[in-house]
Amino acid sequence: MNHFNASRQPMPAQRPNIAPGSAEARKLAEDLMDAMSALLGLIERETELVRAGKVREAMTLESKKQELSRNYVGAVSELKANQAQLAKSAPELLSTLHRHHDAFRAMLQVNLTVLATAHAVSESVVRGVNAEIQKRNVPNTYTAAGRRAAPGPRHITPLAVSRSL
């Protein structure tokens, strides 16, 4: 029987915490600002496209958005790992980053709201179409008590949606 020994497994490579001086602190801050700016630009473009109803074109941005999101998460992780040293060596830089990050989060919230609205509208349209299809296929009958009969499973027509149109 082969036993798993966790102590033999290599640990994932992580950058050690550095004690950033002003140049290193500026580099960390610039990396995060660049990541936020690039991601924000793409998110703003995606928001514009979805608002204009160009969802298919907005979907083409997905792979680039994932890449920029990974860069952003990496920059945030690096900054968090060195936050204590940054607070000592460059507190004004850290407060500037916090302000920029707050603006970044506000823009992300706008994007999420637009995407959620588009999702809700499309779901509503599909449900409405489905309700109309089902209404046409259900026999219009009444029970002995004079109430409209509920359709059975054999009367329900499946709805197929093509995402390639």
Side-chain angles (χ1 to χ4, degrees):
M1 179 183 263
N2 191 1
H3 293 283
F4 177 77
N5 186 349
S7 64
R8 290 186 184 178
Q9 298 299 319
M11 293 296 292
Q14 292 181 349
R15 288 177 88 178
N17 286 1
I18 56 173
S22 64
E24 292 86 4
R26 295 233 177 268
K27 175 71 173 121
L28 287 174
E30 286 174 10
D31 288 348
L32 181 58
M33 291 295 288
D34 290 345
M36 281 194 297
S37 296
L39 187 55
L40 190 57
L42 187 75
I43 285 172
E44 287 174 344
R45 177 74 180 134
E46 179 187 52
T47 301
E48 290 170 8
L49 290 171
V50 171
R51 280 184 174 158
K54 299 177 180 179
V55 177
R56 183 178 310 275
E57 193 175 333
M59 288 172 58
T60 63
L61 303 174
E62 188 64 29
S63 62
K64 184 69 175 168
K65 186 176 168 183
Q66 287 177 352
E67 176 189 335
L68 293 174
S69 295
R70 278 191 295 274
N71 293 346
Y72 166 74
V73 169
V76 167
S77 297
E78 187 73 27
L79 194 73
K80 280 186 177 181
N82 296 291
Q83 187 172 3
Q85 294 89 350
L86 276 171
K88 292 176 186 172
S89 67
E92 72 290 340
L93 185 62
L94 203 54
S95 65
T96 301
L97 281 173
H98 281 292
R99 283 194 310 274
H100 284 285
H101 197 261
D102 289 342
F104 177 72
R105 282 191 303 196
M107 288 305 295
L108 281 178
Q109 189 60 46
V110 168
N111 177 261
L112 291 174
T113 302
V114 168
L115 292 177
T117 302
H119 182 268
V121 167
S122 64
E123 183 177 343
S124 175
V125 168
V126 170
R127 286 184 188 275
V129 168
N130 185 46
E132 287 299 315
I133 289 172
Q134 300 311 324
K135 197 185 309 182
R136 290 183 185 155
N137 292 327
V138 173
N140 196 8
T141 60
Y142 295 90
T143 64
R147 294 193 180 120
R148 181 168 268 178
R154 73 172 208 232
H155 295 293
I156 295 176
T157 304
L159 175 67
V161 178
S162 174
R163 293 181 179 210
S164 65
L165 295 177

